[in-house]
Amino acid sequence: MRLAALLAALRPALPLVLGLSLGCSLSLLRASWSQGGGEELCLGAAGRAELRSGVRHEAAEAGPGPGHEDFRPRIVPYYRDPNKPYKKVLRTRYIQTELGFHERLFVAVLTSRATLNTLAVAVNKTIAHHFSRLLYFTGLRSAKVPHGMVLVAHGDERPIWLMYETMYYIHQHFGSDYDWFYIMQDDTYTQAEQVKALVTHLSINQDVYLGRAEEFIGGDEQARYCHGGFGYLLSRSLLLKLHPHLDSCRNEILSVRPDEWLGRCIIDFLGITCVSQLQGQYYHTYELAKNADPEKEEEEEFQAAIAVHPVSDMSLMYRLHKHFSRIQLERAYQEIQELQMQIRNLTSLTPAGEASLTWPVGINSPFLPKSRFEVISWDYFTEQHLFSCLDGSPKCELSGASKADVSDIIESALEQLNSRYQPLLRFSKRQLLNGYRRFDPTRGMEYTLDLLLEAVTQKGHSHVLVKRVSLVRPLSKVEIIPMPYVTEATRVQLVLPLTVQDLDFVSNFLDMYAMNTLDTHDNALLTLLFIYHPYDAQRVSQVDVFAGVKAMVGELEKRYAEVKIPWISVKTEVPSQVKLMDIVSKKHPVDTLFFLASVWTEINMEFLNRCRMNTISNWQVFFPVHFQEFNPALVYRSEQTASSSTDFLKDGHFDRHSFAEACFYNSDYMTARTKLAADILDRDEVLESMEVFDVFLHYSGLHLFRAVEPGLVQKYALRSCNPRLSEELYHRCVLSNLEGLASRSHLAMALFEQEQANST
């Protein structure tokens, strides 16, 4: 009875016990099989087959071959010599540089004394903007470089010597930076986009010598060279293998033509011949007849050509570029129409049906606001005036880029109407009645136009009508602009102008500067600019208004013995930013990187690094938009003050009216300032209406990079606006103070509480 009762109690758990026992047994059995002998290797199916047959290749044990080192990950062990002092490693912020990635394509153009200022200039104007790196090589000595071109002069005009020096120069300076090298002559028209598309479809792990294959005169029929007139493509691996043999080729191979010399060198020492087709990609070329007209060339071979040769003059080069650009544009429009048709066909099969189809087809649907604060407003305009001005005025004259934009969109509307209704009707514009536009960040600029048109029929009858049209200028393909390389090791020279009104905030600025730069040994120096009012300057021997600041500076120099903080005293009633910068600029070297700061700026290493990276000598200046915290008395009122971590959505805003902070090189400022001086002709009162931003905007050809900077946070403070400055600068200061009080919701709540208190 007891045994039966025990079995009855264990019966529900019996399947669980049996399952656990069976699972443990199978796992132990599998482990014994997988472990096997202690010296067996883990091989795939091919390896097991070789062992069974008694054959074991050496390649099974050897590592990857020399041709595969770029594709196999290698672990470099870290070793630190205990006998050497530790040095902080400066790492780049570019992943591409750190991982050793290569750029895609390098282009070299061979030119001469007779064609440098003609055909070479035409080549530069037609294809230079398509390639990230394009260099011109010539044998001239001290050649005058045309504008916008980078020229390498070897000093010897012999064709073979020029080719040798060019190949040697390319390997020495760019051999480790690019995957493909395209070499062409300046009497060749090349479709740049076709060349770029060609290299994207070729494998970089092969020795490639691609172009128009030609036979050597009296040579082997199997050996061919690439005709230089039609350009040719070399892979990086081939260039690296060819470099050790260039000197031997120069001494041993005799030839008249440089392309034959290079082809013979590649064949003799590498055993590689020129091909016109590789990996399913064809290098199409076309030989242009004398006095040929590109508009009348209708051969399929001409339409598909990547390179056309020979081009006799500049006008022919531009005509070829116009012809092939029109072909590419027609292909793009045809592809757009096909894609739109496919979208229409597929939309009918979706759950929403054709109702989900937006206009224009293929463009993102309009932005749908989730609240009234996200509604994108429309700007009203006519052909003469704009009724939404940057300075806040209700009406301003339509000029500059806005006027060109309106004219272009009206012409596009008429062109689209005529293409749709011709030959039945032909429209001509009489007047723009109403115009509306807005920028939708999800799709582009949208327009709505009310046009007064005159419609003419085929029989000559005319009729005036009003028609509303809608247009979209979609956002185009995002393009990465090539920028010069910069590092984070550059020294930053901070410049801090101080007035009497800023004395209450100097202590916090110096504390943040000491904590974030001096304690961390950041490569940043500080220069103070004391701005004395004429009345205070007369009494400086009795009472110095900046004596407290100078005492703080003395304490910092005692605490950090290796640090010196110089100051400059200036006497003026109108502290113009440009005049102050003129004084500082003369006291520093031309390669100084300035950071023009304000007393409310909280210096930190994160922003200083971005200042270094975003400021490029002779290329770009950086004007950050700092984050301005709101007035805590209005934002928090009786609540507890916010923590140190700023909430960008509630605690402040990016102050777009302030241009007090700027990063730029002294050489760039001096260049722009020289142009300004020649323009104003010693009228110093003009400088009072300008800031450093205006100097770079109007008198330099540099990129002005203005972006929001979350690392540059300023506490709330009521700025003192100097009425002696220009009206525009004073207006900016007032707007900055007003918008920096609080958000609309906080201001509304403060007014509501005030009305509630008054009513009770």
Side-chain angles (χ1 to χ4, degrees), residues 166-216:
T166 300
M167 298 302 298
Y168 192 87
Y169 184 92
I170 292 175
H171 175 272
Q172 183 179 8
H173 293 85
F174 306 103
S176 59
D177 298 333
Y178 290 85
D179 287 329
W180 299 100
F181 300 89
Y182 184 70
I183 302 173
M184 57 177 289
Q185 299 175 180
D186 58 3
D187 60 346
T188 304
Y189 175 77
T190 302
Q191 291 201 65
E193 293 299 326
Q194 298 281 8
V195 176
K196 292 168 64 177
L198 177 65
V199 298
T200 57
H201 292 85
L202 296 177
S203 174
I204 64 174
N205 195 31
Q206 293 187 9
D207 299 331
V208 178
Y209 183 32
L210 182 64
R212 176 164 174 165
E214 298 283 348
E215 296 182 2
F216 290 97

Side-chain angles (χ1 to χ4, degrees), residues 475-549:
L475 294 173
S476 60
K477 181 181 177 181
V478 177
E479 180 182 0
I480 300 178
I481 301 177
M483 302 290 285
Y485 180 78
V486 293
T487 65
E488 298 176 2
T490 308
R491 173 178 292 177
V492 179
Q493 180 66 56
L494 282 74
V495 179
L496 179 65
L498 291 175
T499 62
V500 178
Q501 291 80 10
D502 303 331
L503 295 179
D504 296 336
F505 309 98
V506 179
S507 176
N508 180 68
F509 177 89
L510 294 177
D511 291 342
M512 297 300 296
Y513 169 73
M515 180 176 63
N516 293 328
T517 60
L518 300 183
D519 290 341
T520 59
H521 302 283
D522 192 276
N523 195 8
L525 303 179
L526 175 64
T527 297
L528 299 178
L529 201 59
F530 297 138
I531 304 173
Y532 287 90
H533 190 273
Y535 176 75
D536 295 329
Q538 294 176 356
R539 302 170 55 246
V540 69
S541 58
Q542 292 83 20
V543 179
D544 189 355
V545 292
F546 293 106
V549 181

Side-chain angles (χ1 to χ4, degrees), residues 85-112:
Y86 174 72
K87 183 179 179 181
K88 183 180 178 181
V89 179
L90 181 64
R91 297 184 61 183
T92 174
R93 288 201 171 192
Y94 296 114
I95 298 177
Q96 180 177 359
T97 304
E98 187 159 331
L99 296 183
F101 290 170
H102 302 143
E103 296 288 344
R104 175 68 66 179
L105 181 63
F106 173 87
V107 180
V109 182
L110 303 179
T111 184
S112 62

Side-chain angles (χ1 to χ4, degrees), residues 317-419:
M317 183 78 72
Y318 295 137
R319 289 162 61 194
L320 285 168
H321 184 65
K322 177 183 177 181
H323 177 73
F324 283 106
S325 297
R326 185 171 64 250
I327 292 177
Q328 293 179 2
L329 191 61
E330 291 175 354
R331 290 174 181 171
Y333 282 137
Q334 181 65 29
E335 185 178 356
I336 290 173
Q337 292 179 1
E338 294 175 357
L339 291 175
Q340 288 179 338
M341 184 61 67
Q342 295 178 12
I343 293 173
R344 289 190 182 96
N345 296 335
L346 293 175
T347 304
S348 60
L349 304 177
T350 60
E354 295 184 357
S356 61
L357 193 65
T358 59
W359 179 88
V361 179
I363 304 297
N364 294 334
S365 58
F367 172 73
L368 296 177
K370 298 180 180 179
S371 66
R372 61 188 180 91
F373 299 107
E374 296 180 355
V375 175
I376 304 175
S377 60
W378 290 85
D379 298 334
Y380 179 76
F381 63 88
T382 63
E383 292 185 78
Q384 292 80 27
H385 296 91
L386 183 66
F387 293 83
S388 179
C389 308
L390 294 176
D391 57 358
S393 58
K395 180 180 178 181
C396 55
E397 185 178 355
L398 194 65
S399 60
S402 294
K403 187 176 183 62
D405 176 57
V406 171
S407 301
D408 180 61
I409 207 65
I410 293 176
E411 291 179 4
S412 299
L414 288 175
E415 182 180 349
Q416 293 293 330
L417 287 172
N418 287 322
S419 63

